[in-house]
Amino acid sequence: RESDHRAWTPVTYTVTRQNATIQGLIQGKAYFFRIAAENIIGMGPFTETTKEILIRDPITVPDRPEDLEVKAVTKNSVTLTWNPPKYNGGSDITMYVLESRLIGKDKFHKVTKEKMLDRKFTVEGLKEGDTYEYRVSACNIVGQGKPSFCTKPITCKDELAPPTLDLDFRDKLIVRVGEAFSLTGRYSGKPAPKVTWLKDDIVVKEDDRIKIKTTPTTLCLGILKSVREDTGKYCVTVENSTGSRKGFCQVNVVDRPSPPVGPVIFDEVFKDHMVVSWKPPLDDGGSEITNYIIEKKDTHKDLWMPVTSSTVKTTCKIPKLLEGREYQIRIYAENLYGISDPLISDEMKAKDRFRVPDAPEQPIIKDVTKDSAVVVWNKPYDGGKPITNYIVEKKETMATRWVKATKDPIFPGTKFKVPDLLEGCQYEFRVSAENEIGVGDPSPPSKPIFARDPIAKPSPPVNPEAVDKTKNSVDLSWQPPRHDGNGKIIGYLIEYQKVGDEEWKQANLTADSCPETNYKVTGLTEGLTYKFRVKAVNAAGESDPAHVPDPVEVKDRLEPPELILDANMAREQHVKAGDTLRLSAVIKGVPFPKVTWKKEDHEVSPKADIEVTGVGSKLEIRNTVHEDGGMYSLTVENPAGSKTVSVKVVVLDKPGPPRNLNISDVRSDSCYITWMEPEDDGGSVITNYVVERKDVASAQWVAISSSSKKRSHMAKYLMEGTQYLFRVAAENQYGRGPYVETLKPIKAIDPLHPPGPPKNLHHVDVDKTEVSLVWNRPDRDGGAEITGYLVEYQEDGADEWTKFQTVPMLDCVVTGL
């Protein structure tokens, strides 16, 4: 209960430990508490706290006091003052403890004997000549805090007074070179302070020009015939054992500037004018340069002629010159205090000294393709003026007229990609440089080049096979590679390997020894089995090898089955849906082999027409559909062996339906639609997806996206509370596939979440077998009206909770306990 109330308030109905934490108390209020024990028979008597308990935050010792100072010193006493600590630890200061330490001793001793709240104290009964340090601590109800920082050592003696300083000069002083100046003032202090003069933090020493005079009450620093080096910040310090005082003065000794810094640079020289520049004086005389005075002189005359006296820049145009005459330029700097000595230039003749750039060296041609080439050149001499542009020209080798490669400027790079070349034509290129004077001579023409793509290595030969054999040779045949790498096929390299060996041996040493697509490998051993492979060669190098599918046993021919494939039996055959698929091959073998067509190791479709003649076989399927695609194999077999070839048939068609259509993140005005690509893309890349929606009350579908390449879409602008169906279809270059549709509609509403926990659950009545509970509504209802509250109970010591019932109101009586 609160100390000013009589009624007791229960804080918990059962506590099994010997301690409890009381929540919900008000800071600053005082409370009494009482505790009673209870067993199965009943509740015992209460035990009350004897004193009221004030609720407040924990308190600590105070911080250290501030600004401990010595105010007076005599031969037997010291008076000190201080300020309270910044933080009292949460409790009022109850007293201060002042301590002293005799210099030479280790420990501090308490000076104050009784409780002291004043922040001024005089320590008496000291011995003259002794030196002490002092510190002070603050105390509150928790205890004594940290001591303050110690004072400087204080010696007990009379007549101590801090220094004073009264100056006769201001913060700034301007003096002309050669004049004398002095800094004077008065000072006092006990004991007599020491006087120190500093200039830019360096002690000033007397010499023939600098005089220092100090009396017991006055001070003076005098400088005769001042020079520029006397400029600086002067400081006078008066100091004794009780403290120090300082005075400052910024002295600026001014003069006319030093001469401008040479040499004079002739930036531009022409027959009738020049442009010169220079650097500012190293010393501006202590005052900003107001202007420069520029004069010119014909070297054949003694008269200096004025050019200008009002420029503040360090550059100037010298006009009205006579071509072929030599001139000198004279420059003065001026400030408020005078004109400097002059800076005189070297002699310079008035004439044009710039020209057009030189011709570049012969350019180099790189990265040639069938319609472009990169021209690279080195920068030529610029003629004295910076190069502003390069001109690249081209011409066919047999032509006489040069044509600009581009109208756009080319700068600052020294290479350019020339476009719009004609494939197969031979070109030369040249480069000219241009500056503000004009265009220079062109470079020598480049070496001629042909406009054609660079040569790459060819692809492997197609369908190598053994077409005949004897007891010491094997005849091989193949088809040319599909890609020649933009270069002529020089020939073929044939290699063989004995089965079981790792080393491949060359049947021919050079490619040009086998320019045709067949070759007889000789020198083989009868009865052994060999593997063969063939490489195509062009100017760029060798292709990857193409292997003869099966090892060949070297023996006289028994006329096993042979297959000579037509072009439509290449490794992969593409056919558009609705067109006719034709697969055919020439068949050899004695006796004539049995012919079997299969698709994916199963019988081919009944719609396929199969024709077998004495020289070959043909399979034909009209009006192909996507399901007709797959791996087709042709097997020929006789008693001498069998042979199988396969071809992958791709029927190009519209894609299948997208997969795993999913709707998520449903809101009152939007939802997020995701799906996966179709299992079957129709043999062509999916170009885009079409997303449509439909109000369940409407029969019409509305497109919301028809060009998305992504597999997701945010459907916006839904009407809250309306139910929608969505569908998605994929498109490729052959058309739009079937739609996949959501199985059930979604309703455009914001998502619901479980409500928060009820608040302030507590009992209001207890009986032997029942408890009356009440609580408050939770802070959040999860976006929907709360329909009820589930009440559970748990026996003390048990692990699981038992459901009692769900109630609609904010109270419940739990029975059957």
Side-chain angles (χ1 to χ4, degrees), residues 407-621:
K407 295 181 180 179
D408 297 329
I410 304 173
F411 189 77
T414 56
K415 67 178 181 179
F416 179 73
K417 183 177 182 179
V418 179
D420 303 328
L421 302 182
L422 296 177
E423 185 174 4
C425 291
Q426 191 177 38
Y427 289 91
E428 294 178 349
F429 303 89
R430 70 180 185 181
V431 183
S432 305
E434 181 180 6
N435 63 11
E436 68 179 56
I437 307 299
V439 179
D441 293 333
S443 68
S446 67
K447 293 180 180 180
I449 59 97
F450 282 97
R452 56 191 176 194
D453 287 334
I455 297 175
K457 293 181 181 180
S459 62
V462 176
N463 294 336
E465 59 179 344
V467 296
D468 201 358
K469 62 182 179 179
T470 68
K471 61 182 179 181
N472 58 9
S473 67
V474 173
D475 288 350
L476 301 178
S477 178
W478 57 89
Q479 296 177 20
R482 289 191 177 88
H483 304 288
D484 60 8
N486 296 318
K488 179 182 177 183
I489 300 296
I490 300 172
Y492 300 90
L493 292 174
I494 295 87
E495 297 178 329
Y496 63 92
Q497 179 192 60
K498 189 189 302 182
V499 173
D501 290 353
E502 294 183 0
E503 180 184 2
W504 286 89
K505 296 181 180 180
Q506 284 189 292
N508 61 330
L509 297 178
T510 60
D512 54 10
S513 64
C514 178
E516 304 298 331
T517 57
N518 55 77
Y519 188 79
K520 180 185 284 290
V521 181
T522 59
L524 304 178
T525 303
E526 183 178 6
L528 296 182
T529 304
Y530 292 88
K531 295 179 181 179
F532 297 91
R533 66 184 185 184
V534 184
K535 301 177 183 177
V537 181
N538 66 6
E542 303 173 3
S543 72
D544 292 334
H547 292 260
V548 174
D550 301 315
V552 179
E553 183 180 358
V554 178
K555 60 182 180 181
D556 286 331
R557 181 166 62 93
L558 298 177
E559 300 187 11
E562 294 182 18
L563 284 171
I564 302 174
L565 302 178
D566 292 345
N568 56 28
M569 286 287 285
R571 294 180 182 175
E572 188 167 293
Q573 184 72 15
H574 289 235
V575 59
K576 191 174 180 180
D579 290 350
T580 300
L581 169 66
R582 292 183 179 88
L583 302 176
S584 59
V586 175
I587 302 173
K588 294 182 180 180
V590 179
F592 189 79
K594 176 185 176 183
V595 178
T596 304
W597 287 92
K598 288 190 176 182
K599 177 189 174 189
E600 311 286 358
D601 294 331
H602 297 90
E603 296 297 327
V604 295
S605 170
K607 64 185 285 190
D609 293 330
I610 299 176
E611 179 184 349
V612 180
T613 67
V615 294
S617 180
K618 180 173 69 173
L619 179 144
E620 187 173 284
I621 300 178

Side-chain angles (χ1 to χ4, degrees), residues 657-706:
R659 299 175 294 145
N660 297 348
L661 179 61
N662 183 50
I663 310 298
S664 61
D665 295 341
V666 179
R667 299 288 187 270
S668 61
D669 62 349
S670 67
C671 65
Y672 191 61
I673 309 171
T674 59
W675 61 88
M676 295 179 64
E677 68 278 356
E679 290 185 356
D680 177 18
D681 61 4
S684 178
V685 176
I686 300 295
T687 58
N688 61 283
Y689 293 94
V690 177
V691 185
E692 297 180 347
R693 78 177 187 204
K694 184 180 78 168
D695 184 338
V696 295
S698 171
Q700 184 177 2
W701 288 92
V702 179
I704 58 176
S705 174
S706 60

Side-chain angles (χ1 to χ4, degrees), residues 138-196:
C139 301
N140 61 12
I141 61 173
V142 177
Q144 183 173 336
K146 292 182 180 180
S148 67
F149 297 109
C150 294
T151 63
K152 292 182 179 180
I154 302 168
T155 302
C156 294
K157 58 183 179 180
D158 290 331
E159 297 183 350
L160 288 180
T164 63
L165 182 60
D166 183 17
L167 301 177
D168 297 330
F169 50 85
R170 295 183 178 179
D171 294 341
K172 294 183 179 180
L173 178 64
I174 298 176
V175 183
R176 290 292 296 269
V177 167
E179 295 180 353
F181 69 91
S182 62
L183 306 176
T184 61
R186 289 161 298 284
Y187 72 101
S188 65
K190 295 182 181 181
K194 176 183 177 183
V195 178
T196 305

